[in-house]
Amino acid sequence: MDEKEEKDKKQISRRNLLKGAGLVAGGVALSTTLPPLATEAFAKPTSRTSVGEPTFEVYDTDVLVIGSGLAGINAALTSFAEGANVLIADKGPFKASGGAGMNWGVIVRFLINNPQITYDFAINASYGMVNQKLCRAIVNNWMDIKMDQMLVNRGMTAFFRNPDGTMYIQEKPVGGAKVLYNYFPRHDQDEIVKQGIKVVDRTMITDLFVQDGKCIGAMGLNITTGTFRVFRAKAVVGCGGPAPWNYGWITVAPVSINSPDNTGDLDAIAYNHGCGLIDTEFVENDAMNIYPEGLAATCNGGFAADALEYRYLCDKDGVYWLRDIPMSQMNRGRFSQEIAKRVLEGKGSPNGGVYLDLRDPKAYESLFEREVYSRNVKAYKERFDIDVKGMMMEVALEQYESQGHPIIDETGATEIPGLYFGVGGGTRGARFPSTSGGTINGAIIAGKNAVKYAQNAPKIKKINWKPVHDEFNRIHALRTKKVAKPLAPHEVRHAIQRACFKALGPIKNGKTIAEAIKELERIKKYDLPRMALRNDTKQYNVEWQQAIENYYMVDLSLANCKSSLFREESRGTHFRTDFPKMDNDKWLCNVAVKKVNDKMVVEKRPIVWSEYPPAKVKEMLEKGLK
Amino acid sequence: MQVTIKKYDPTKDAEPYNKTYEVPWKKHMTVLEAIMYVHENHEPVGFDYSCRGRVCGRCSMMVNGEPAMACFTHIKNQANTLEPLRGFPVIRDFIVDKSKTHDAMGRILNRIIEKPITDREKILAPMDPELYKKINGIEWCCRCLSCQAACPVINEKKDQEKFIGPAGIVSTALRYYDPFDEGDRVTEAVQNGLFECIMCGRCNKACPADEIDHLKIYAELRKAAKDRGLKPKPRKA
């Protein structure tokens, strides 16, 4: 035992002596104690002088769910129904955080007609990248739950209806499913509170608590007042959502409909603990308005053209160049790439998009079931004096979803025992076109299996608090740091976003990706250490949160770029001009990004198959392409 | 353009104070863009947003004295005053604590029902289009609480009996209209001060969801209450 470990040991015994001195806060879920004061062994000199000794709150629960979106809701309600104590740590204000915190009417595949059709469709639509065992588990669960009934019993009142009051149901024969519109997840979030699940919101998880290779909880910052929180748990379910916040910047947001909460923290944290990430080269795009800038690329504050509206898109010369394509051959992936190609050919709008012609009454009619857009017609006129029905609206490709997450198996388990992911790498691949259903059912599976793990979780004999103290010090050092020629967190953030925007669009090429990697590595080496806050308050410090997130964003952006460069072919949403063909002989595999000896390593990983071996998948894909 | 922001950090300042910043105005600029400009070019601001499209409810604040969503409100080329949303405890600058009202709304919005609904024909059954319009309208409530900030009764009237405010009544209305709810929502609305409302319509003006017709909702609930003899007797002067 070296000297440091000896001191650790003393620290633990001192903690036991101090136990009785801990505060117990009323109202907190299970137990809240004030952990011990640090000894010299833990407190680094810098933080010791500036922020004092580490103090933190400790919560204890069976299952910790991180995030409260579609995945978090379903993981939490499932674990709770299985009899576990459940606590949700939510980064934003609960019921308004992340994508599901936007109250816009989610589209949901409520009924699977034929599981085999859906399963085959998922494999095809993911371009063979989906984990077949996981996909089978998700589809089977989907069949079991009766989605419409489940959501109505959680409080949903009325899905979208036709003018005569009948239910608006869209048949998707290719996917073997029926679709409902306007599901509002806030009812589920109200249900969470009603049932007795504890929610600790405005709390961003900054690290996992990993001991002896097992996940025993997580820790992070209470953004409201700057206190540090430790969550001990027998199992953790990560439900952090996608991370397109690195994709460009237009005045208040990236070129993405997503939420500022979704900066990929959990994926980067898991990566730093040794989890492999897969599917980081795949994202999903859609065409959204880019003017006015304050409302640019917002699903709910603007207008969009997706595969449904492709016939009303025209280029800068007024040519409706997609009209001749039959609807049966149009899908979102093709749609995005056709636009990107048109822009590359020099036929795009001044801001790198094309135009949606809402002057055509049929174009407006095609928005019928998309109230989230049509409700903005009147609002644009009244609030901004913009008449969208009398103009060509400039629309550009935004990134609404990214698929890179830690590798999970068919139980939702990651490579770290005790850590599950609601949506993990391999759930969607190069495009799994029902994000809400895949997310809901994937999270239910993860929630169930997390409880099973928690029931048999290995007993922890002794807690080593050093990682908590280290993380406390790291977080506060970021807050109080003073450097020569400082960069504000938003300046570093925008540098990351600029780099990724050039490289990670719907049409990529090796040269620009390599440049982005160089720039991101420069940011990591030179800009992150220069980052300092302009105000060191602990009270709701937006800059502090941004500074912490920037570390995760750089790591995940590097994973996005390196996997994109590594995959030397085009597949689904990943399109390379220097490798424009799909190459099933070389690339019918996942690309995994792993941290090995402190370096980011990119490697091939065989697809996980059960029913269809790779040769059969290859045949399916090539037959489908003809 | 001048933008005056009411700043407050309770860990440092004795009182909130106003500070004025110069911000370059542009056509179609939003309030959120102006705040972001101040944050990035002048000094850090405590503010919150997510959707940029009036559906998450996080950026509601007072814009020149009226509640509004920063993300979806045009800022005029004039001297502008931005303050935190009226009537809520301030955490810092524009960040306020809405949890008390949000919790109350959540409790009201929980459906009261004896048994789970298992008849899928009922779930997918047609609905009177007028009823659907009312229900769907309230679904677009993003819980920004602009209505609460606009309400003169809860903010200004001194001698009011307990009034939950527009957000609570609208929440009750969703379950009143919900064909599956079995609770006595009319009594609930009356107990929560339905008749304290002065029907001024300021909540409706402040609400970012055009789909919600507040005054119609109050009128229908009041009619149902009167029909059942639940209207409280006028208080003595």
Side-chain angles (χ1 to χ4, degrees), chain A residues 257-473:
Chain A
I257 64 169
N258 224 287
S259 163
D261 298 327
N262 292 349
T263 49
D265 311 356
L266 285 182
D267 303 309
I269 291 167
Y271 158 79
N272 278 300
H273 278 281
C275 283
L277 305 176
I278 58 169
D279 296 342
T280 50
E281 69 274 38
F282 301 123
V283 300
E284 286 177 61
N285 301 96
D286 217 330
M288 296 273 166
N289 63 298
I290 42 182
Y291 190 85
E293 286 167 326
L295 310 175
T298 104
C299 170
N300 32 59
F303 295 87
D306 59 24
L308 286 174
E309 284 88 36
Y310 74 95
R311 283 162 296 176
Y312 311 106
L313 277 190
C314 68
D315 64 11
K316 79 170 167 56
D317 304 321
V319 177
Y320 297 78
W321 85 104
L322 296 174
R323 277 214 172 142
D324 295 338
I325 300 171
M327 203 154 196
S328 59
Q329 286 175 31
M330 183 51 83
N331 61 49
R332 211 173 263 191
R334 176 166 186 195
F335 172 79
S336 299
Q337 281 161 8
E338 294 284 358
I339 294 172
K341 276 184 213 161
R342 203 70 174 176
V343 174
L344 277 184
E345 287 162 7
K347 297 198 171 161
S349 64
N351 295 300
V354 290
Y355 297 91
L356 172 63
D357 189 359
L358 283 171
R359 295 173 307 178
D360 189 330
K362 279 189 187 146
Y364 181 67
E365 277 166 30
S366 72
L367 297 176
F368 169 65
E369 72 275 44
R370 308 308 300 276
E371 274 191 300
V372 65
Y373 306 132
S374 61
R375 73 192 293 253
N376 289 325
V377 173
K378 190 166 151 246
Y380 265 51
K381 186 83 188 96
E382 286 176 2
R383 290 158 175 256
F384 297 95
D385 197 23
I386 298 174
D387 178 16
V388 295
K389 285 165 103 173
M391 66 188 279
M392 307 279 278
M393 173 156 292
E394 210 180 339
V395 291
L397 290 166
E398 59 86 33
Q399 188 189 121
Y400 66 92
E401 184 81 86
S402 62
Q403 317 296 28
H405 294 295
I407 296 161
I408 54 168
D409 66 12
E410 66 274 20
T411 69
T414 67
E415 294 168 302
I416 298 178
L419 179 63
Y420 292 75
F421 257 67
V423 177
T427 307
R428 298 181 192 140
R431 196 175 75 95
F432 190 67
S434 175
T435 53
S436 64
T439 304
I440 290 169
N441 289 286
I444 290 172
I445 292 165
K448 262 185 206 159
N449 289 299
V451 173
K452 272 189 206 157
Y453 178 90
Q455 282 163 347
N456 303 301
K459 287 233 167 9
I460 304 160
K461 292 207 177 76
K462 190 167 85 176
I463 299 282
N464 174 11
W465 291 96
K466 185 173 181 301
V468 174
H469 290 230
D470 286 348
E471 182 62 2
F472 176 95
N473 287 331

Side-chain angles (χ1 to χ4, degrees), chain B residues 2-229:
Chain B
Q2 284 193 338
V3 175
T4 300
I5 292 179
K6 191 180 228 178
K7 292 201 48 94
Y8 182 47
D9 179 345
T11 68
K12 298 195 171 176
D13 309 317
E15 292 285 336
Y17 61 94
N18 285 327
K19 201 160 169 188
T20 303
Y21 308 88
E22 196 58 45
V23 177
W25 183 86
K26 60 173 185 177
K27 204 178 168 189
H28 299 144
M29 190 179 200
T30 64
V31 173
L32 181 62
E33 284 182 295
I35 295 168
M36 188 67 86
Y37 184 89
V38 172
H39 177 78
E40 296 196 342
N41 297 283
H42 292 296
E43 66 172 325
V45 180
F47 68 116
D48 189 29
Y49 75 101
S50 172
C51 73
R52 297 98 64 206
R54 61 169 172 154
V55 294
C56 76
R58 281 160 69 164
C59 70
S60 50
M61 58 178 62
M62 306 306 281
V63 176
N64 299 322
E66 297 293 331
M69 306 303 295
C71 72
F72 213 71
T73 302
H74 176 52
I75 190 161
K76 291 196 182 109
N77 191 7
Q78 59 174 45
N80 289 286
T81 308
L82 309 179
E83 296 163 295
L85 196 65
R86 177 167 78 152
F88 297 90
V90 178
I91 292 169
R92 188 176 158 218
D93 299 348
F94 293 116
I95 312 287
V96 294
D97 183 0
K98 300 175 184 170
S99 59
K100 198 175 138 190
T101 313
H102 279 168
D103 290 352
M105 287 175 79
R107 279 194 296 276
I108 292 170
L109 283 163
N110 286 140
R111 184 185 285 129
I112 295 169
I113 188 164
E114 193 192 349
K115 284 185 213 142
I117 308 147
T118 52
D119 185 349
R120 289 180 92 189
E121 270 181 35
K122 266 191 193 166
I123 290 168
L124 300 171
M127 185 182 268
D128 169 38
E130 279 307 304
L131 178 64
Y132 168 68
K133 207 176 150 197
K134 285 186 259 189
I135 290 176
N136 183 54
I138 303 174
E139 289 281 21
W140 287 98
C141 166
C142 69
R143 308 190 195 181
C144 65
L145 307 186
S146 293
C147 56
Q148 298 288 105
C151 178
V153 177
I154 56 174
N155 289 288
E156 292 158 27
K157 203 173 166 206
K158 293 261 183 312
D159 61 343
Q160 64 130 334
E161 298 283 290
K162 201 169 166 248
F163 179 39
I164 194 166
I169 300 293
V170 168
S171 301
T172 291
L174 182 75
R175 290 302 169 210
Y176 170 66
Y177 294 132
D178 175 3
F180 298 115
D181 192 87
E182 293 165 1
D184 180 357
R185 299 298 186 165
V186 177
T187 300
E188 179 182 84
V190 173
Q191 284 177 339
N192 282 331
L194 176 66
F195 287 93
E196 294 290 323
C197 165
I198 58 169
M199 303 289 277
C200 68
R202 284 196 223 173
C203 49
N204 201 60
K205 193 165 162 270
C207 178
D210 304 331
E211 292 88 346
I212 307 173
D213 188 343
H214 292 74
L215 292 179
K216 190 173 170 190
I217 288 168
Y218 306 153
E220 289 193 0
L221 281 168
R222 283 184 176 200
K223 185 175 178 300
K226 279 180 200 160
D227 288 350
R228 284 175 48 193

Side-chain angles (χ1 to χ4, degrees), chain A residues 566-583:
Chain A
F566 187 74
R567 186 179 282 282
E568 293 186 332
E569 63 147 0
S570 292
R571 181 177 296 270
T573 54
H574 169 78
F575 187 86
R576 290 265 304 257
T577 52
D578 42 354
F579 297 96
K581 292 251 154 57
M582 183 156 73
D583 182 352

Side-chain angles (χ1 to χ4, degrees), chain A residues 112-315:
Chain A
I112 302 278
N113 300 330
N114 179 328
Q116 195 61 35
I117 292 176
T118 302
Y119 177 72
D120 292 354
F121 175 67
I123 291 168
N124 264 307
S126 74
Y127 291 82
M129 295 293 99
V130 78
N131 174 331
Q132 290 180 22
K133 291 180 186 168
L134 176 63
C135 183
R136 177 57 81 187
I138 286 174
V139 172
N140 286 348
N141 196 72
W142 214 319
M143 293 291 291
D144 291 345
I145 60 170
K146 296 183 183 132
M147 192 95 86
D148 49 343
Q149 192 174 314
M150 179 180 88
L151 299 179
V152 165
N153 277 303
R154 287 177 186 171
M156 248 313 288
T157 311
F159 296 102
F160 186 67
R161 279 157 195 272
N162 294 307
D164 66 357
T166 53
M167 193 71 86
Y168 179 85
I169 297 173
Q170 211 177 53
E171 299 274 353
K172 296 259 183 182
V174 189
K178 290 185 179 184
V179 179
L180 293 173
Y181 283 68
N182 281 13
Y183 147 53
F184 291 90
R186 282 191 183 176
H187 295 297
D188 304 41
Q189 290 160 335
D190 289 335
E191 184 70 13
I192 279 172
V193 178
K194 180 187 171 188
Q195 292 210 5
I197 295 168
K198 173 75 183 173
V199 182
V200 180
D201 71 348
R202 294 194 199 257
T203 297
M204 76 180 283
I205 295 302
T206 66
D207 202 3
L208 292 168
F209 201 174
V210 178
Q211 216 127 41
D212 303 325
K214 294 175 192 71
C215 186
I216 58 163
M219 62 193 88
L221 180 68
N222 164 14
I223 297 161
T224 305
T225 59
T227 57
F228 199 67
R229 289 177 166 159
V230 178
F231 301 91
R232 288 185 52 190
K234 295 185 177 75
V236 175
V237 189
C239 296
W245 207 249
N246 62 4
Y247 189 63
W249 186 257
I250 312 174
T251 69
V252 292
V255 190
S256 171
I257 64 169
N258 224 287
S259 163
D261 298 327
N262 292 349
T263 49
D265 311 356
L266 285 182
D267 303 309
I269 291 167
Y271 158 79
N272 278 300
H273 278 281
C275 283
L277 305 176
I278 58 169
D279 296 342
T280 50
E281 69 274 38
F282 301 123
V283 300
E284 286 177 61
N285 301 96
D286 217 330
M288 296 273 166
N289 63 298
I290 42 182
Y291 190 85
E293 286 167 326
L295 310 175
T298 104
C299 170
N300 32 59
F303 295 87
D306 59 24
L308 286 174
E309 284 88 36
Y310 74 95
R311 283 162 296 176
Y312 311 106
L313 277 190
C314 68
D315 64 11

Side-chain angles (χ1 to χ4, degrees), chain A residues 49-84:
Chain A
T49 48
S50 49
V51 297
E53 288 152 332
T55 51
F56 40 88
E57 306 158 356
V58 179
Y59 297 75
D60 195 3
T61 183
D62 296 331
V63 176
L64 171 69
V65 174
I66 304 169
S68 70
L70 289 189
I73 288 166
N74 288 287
L77 285 169
T78 305
S79 296
F80 191 80
E82 299 277 322

